[in-house]
Amino acid sequence: TFVSIFCSFDTIISESKPNRTAKTMINAAFSDNPPFQVYFNFEGWMLANLTCGMGPVSTIADAVTQVACTSLFRFISLFYLNDFW
């Protein structure tokens, strides 16, 4: 099913090393145009775009993603919520 495929895909992506996470955070903090949101896997990226609110965007790609994909991300998040029930 879609949920099992999505969950197996998610486990592959969500594995991240602490050193990589720290390096990404430091590089983002000291970049010339620091991003308002820093994320490390698909869930973080999706959650950052779902909860963007009135936050600033760093690139036009962030703005387009937040405008165009919010309803799709909400639909995907319902499958995540269904796993908790």
Side-chain angles (χ1 to χ4, degrees), residues 36-76:
F36 186 73
Q37 301 170 340
V38 179
Y39 38 82
F40 303 99
N41 54 20
F42 178 73
E43 290 97 352
W45 179 72
M46 186 176 73
L47 188 62
N49 286 304
L50 273 171
T51 59
C52 61
M54 292 290 291
V57 293
S58 300
T59 64
I60 192 70
D62 286 339
V64 170
T65 302
Q66 290 169 6
V67 170
C69 297
T70 302
S71 59
L72 174 65
F73 293 155
R74 175 62 181 152
F75 181 71
I76 293 171

Side-chain angles (χ1 to χ4, degrees), residues 22-44:
K23 185 176 181 180
T24 303
M25 291 178 73
I26 296 297
N27 288 340
F30 291 107
S31 67
D32 291 336
N33 183 17
F36 186 73
Q37 301 170 340
V38 179
Y39 38 82
F40 303 99
N41 54 20
F42 178 73
E43 290 97 352

